[in-house]
């Protein structure tokens, strides 16, 4: 319903109630006015008769010809016209009642007022019933429209609600629209989650396939090599054992890769489900960077890479120490793998009123331009990536940091080198 229709219905309701009220008021006020006039006139006549008893006939004639429209009722004591009637009237409430008159004999209002009151009642009643019927009809139409919209949604249809109206159903319409919008968003989120789940399963299967295939080929080669060696030794009459250390070492590496992949996938599933428990406490940034560097010390030594972590004063961030250190280790390791021998992986941190910023960068060639948009995607490995990982580390780091009111981004420095920037916001 439009606002104009609401105004019209309101006007009709007010008009109908006003007519009924006016009719009732006119009807009751007329009777009340008659009664008051009757009492006043009776008192006046009684006062005249008390002061001048001989004027009885004159008063009666005046009342009969000038005041009352109808004759007194039959059987009135006054019709006997004796002294007893007048004496009886002295103790009554009104002398006119003793003469056989009542308020209806006064020529005040009459049938015109009654008919006007009846007409007002009828007109007001008709307007009220019409307004009520019209409002009921419009309400039924609104309910039918809302019901049809919900039926359309339940049967898989789509579409927006009609133009909003300002009436009793406006709030209900808004709530229905909000609920339907939320359901659409929930459905889209569920579809996205299902697609991501299917994609993750495909990636997991692909990642698991690589080490399993390598293990299978290594075992087959070892069996063939062992069988050929035994056949040659038997033909020569010797039984010389053949070292298979390289095969077992390959198998061991692939098993370690499978174990690492399993742990990473379990961690990713906990992050996606929101069940990863974080013990967030105020922690010094220098402590986090130093512990992460210490845990990677052996790898840095083997690669011939140095680390530089300047002490820039105490700066606390509200994070989980262990998981944040794990995220920083992944970033340092990524820089180390991209750096050349004899170079340094640098760290710095600073604080402002909004956030604490941590930077980790290397002295290498930097990220490839086509790799930058995909660096934090799961299982993504750059074109020049070495066969040393499975492409989950950066994704884990980003997820852990974002769970603690932080952001992570990667870019190339103007003078060369890949840089990771972390910001932990204060609020």
């Amino acid at each position: 319903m439009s606002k104009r229709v609401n105004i019209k219905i309101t006007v009709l309701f007010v008009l109908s109630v006003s007519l009924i009220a006016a009719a009732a008021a006119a009807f009751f006020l007329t009777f009340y006015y008659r009664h008051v006039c009757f009492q006043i006139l009776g008192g006046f006549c009684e006062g005249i008769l008390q002061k001048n008893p001989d004027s009885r006939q004159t008063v009666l004639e005046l009342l009969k010809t000038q005041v009352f429209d109808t004759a007194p009722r039959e059987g009135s004591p006054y019709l006997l016209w004796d002294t007893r009637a007048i004496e009886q009237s002295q103790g009554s409430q009104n002398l006119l009642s003793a003469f056989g008159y009542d308020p209806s004999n006064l020529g005040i209002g009459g049938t015109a007022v009654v008919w006007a009151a009846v007409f007002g009642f009828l007109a007001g009643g008709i307007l009220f019933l019409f307004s009520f019927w019209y409002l009921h009809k419009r309400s039924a139409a609104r309910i039918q429209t809302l019901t049809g919209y919900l039926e359309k949604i339940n049967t898989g249809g789509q579409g927006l609600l009609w133009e909003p109206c300002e009436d009793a159903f406006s709030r209900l319409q808004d709530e229905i629209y909000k609920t339907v919008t939320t359901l659409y968003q929930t459905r889209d989120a569920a579809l996205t989650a299902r697609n991501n789940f299917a994609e993750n399963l495909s990636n997991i299967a692909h990642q698991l396939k690589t080490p399993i295939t390598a293990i299978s080929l290594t075992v087959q080669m070892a069996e063939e090599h062992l069988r050929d060696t035994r056949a040659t030794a038997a033909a020569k009459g010797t039984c010389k054992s053949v070292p298979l250390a390289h095969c077992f070492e390959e198998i061991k590496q692939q098993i370690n890769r499978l174990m690492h992949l399993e742990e990473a996938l379990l961690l990713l599933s906990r992050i996606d489900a929101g069940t990863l428990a974080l013990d967030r406490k105020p922690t010094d940034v220098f402590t986090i960077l130093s512990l992460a560097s210490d845990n990677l010390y052996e790898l840095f030594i083997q690669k011939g890479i140095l680390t530089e972590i300047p002490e820039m004063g105490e700066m606390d961030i509200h994070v989980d120490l262990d998981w944040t250190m794990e995220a920083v280790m992944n970033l340092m390791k990524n820089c180390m793998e991209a750096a050349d021998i004899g170079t340094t992986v640098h760290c710095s941190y600073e604080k402002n009123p909004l956030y604490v910023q941590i930077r980790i960068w290397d002295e290498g060639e930097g990220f490839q331009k086509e790799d930058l948009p995909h660096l934090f995607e799961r299982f993504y490995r750059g074109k020049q990536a070495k066969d040393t990982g499975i492409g989950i580390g950066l994704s884990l780091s980003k997820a852990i940091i974002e769970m603690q009111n932080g952001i992570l981004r990667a870019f190339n420095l103007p003078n060369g080198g890949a840089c990771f920037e972390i910001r932990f916001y204060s609020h």
Side-chain angles (χ1 to χ4, degrees), residues 206-220:
H206 178 73
Q207 294 295 328
L208 291 175
K209 183 178 180 180
T210 301
I212 290 174
T213 302
I215 292 174
S216 177
L217 291 176
T218 302
V219 171
Q220 291 179 10

Side-chain angles (χ1 to χ4, degrees), residues 8-30:
K8 290 182 179 180
I9 292 178
T10 303
V11 170
L12 287 178
F13 267 119
V14 172
L15 183 59
S16 63
V17 173
S18 299
L19 285 174
I20 294 174
F27 186 78
F28 287 109
L29 286 176
T30 299

Side-chain angles (χ1 to χ4, degrees), residues 31 85 95 136 138 160 205 367 380:
F31 280 93
L95 178 64
H136 177 73
R138 299 292 298 184
L160 299 177
F367 300 112
Y380 178 81

